Amino acid sequence: LGTGRTATSISGSNVHNCALLDNASVKCWGHGLNGRLGQGNPNDLGNGANEMGDNLPSIDLGTGRTATAIAAGGAHSCAILDNGSVKCWGKNDYGQLGLDYTPDNLGYQPGEMGDNLSSINLGTGRTATAIAPGIFHSCAILDYGSVKCWGNNNYGQLGIGNTTQMGDSSGAVSY
């Protein structure tokens, strides 16, 4: 994970992993398709010599931002930042990144991370205390204990009493 670095938490999906380090930075490795590693390219990391440790770049979460929690979903990853906001990157074919716009992928091309990656609209003054991305959807526990989910809902996984897909978190229902 890097010289002198240790992990404080780790999350894994079927093809990639993300670790929150003791300095509140995030590193992801594994299958890079769709930008799930947040490196601005589709390259796999960790399957070749000299790709881990000090050679594995930290995720750019934005100027002065660090993470308090991370989670790896099916083809996307999410982090709760030190200010309680949430950023997700990777595949977005069902709105699982929770953004008000719907690009196919984020973190796949240069310049898509850091300050260019929008935080999720959790509601006025709302922050997240936990995040759980699924395969094609994501859910967050908010600061006042409610849950907000967004993305694919073909099996009712958003818990909103129907199978309507919520393409961004601003239209998602809190419960």
Side-chain angles (χ1 to χ4, degrees):
L1 297 175
T3 303
R5 296 277 64 95
T6 58
T8 59
S9 68
I10 189 165
S11 180
S13 78
N14 59 328
V15 294
H16 79 291
N17 300 294
C18 293
L20 176 61
L21 304 185
D22 60 319
N23 65 353
S25 67
V26 175
K27 290 189 175 189
C28 297
W29 64 94
H31 191 38
L33 189 63
N34 307 115
R36 70 190 84 192
L37 303 183
Q39 295 298 323
N41 62 61
N43 300 337
D44 297 345
L45 293 172
N47 63 342
N50 300 315
E51 291 182 347
M52 296 298 290
D54 292 332
N55 296 319
L56 181 63
S58 295
I59 305 281
D60 181 359
L61 298 171
T63 304
R65 295 277 65 103
T66 58
T68 61
I70 49 94
H76 66 295
S77 305
C78 297
I80 299 177
L81 305 185
D82 57 307
N83 62 359
S85 67
V86 174
K87 288 188 175 187
C88 296
W89 57 92
K91 193 166 181 67
N92 193 41
D93 51 348
Y94 291 98
Q96 61 265 45
L97 300 185
L99 301 172
D100 295 337
Y101 53 97
T102 54
D104 289 337
N105 303 296
L106 282 174
Y108 187 77
Q109 299 290 329
E112 293 180 339
M113 295 296 291
D115 293 333
N116 294 324
L117 180 62
S118 298
S119 295
I120 294 173
N121 179 359
L122 298 173
T124 303
R126 299 280 59 109
T127 59
T129 61
I131 187 81
I135 295 177
F136 300 117
H137 73 288
S138 301
C139 294
I141 298 176
L142 303 184
D143 56 305
Y144 62 106
S146 71
V147 173
K148 185 175 271 196
C149 297
W150 55 90
N152 193 12
N153 194 32
N154 59 330
Y155 297 108
Q157 59 266 48
L158 301 185
I160 57 175
N162 59 48
T163 56
T164 302
Q165 175 180 318
M166 305 307 276
D168 65 62
S169 63
S170 64
V173 176
S174 296
Y175 48 88

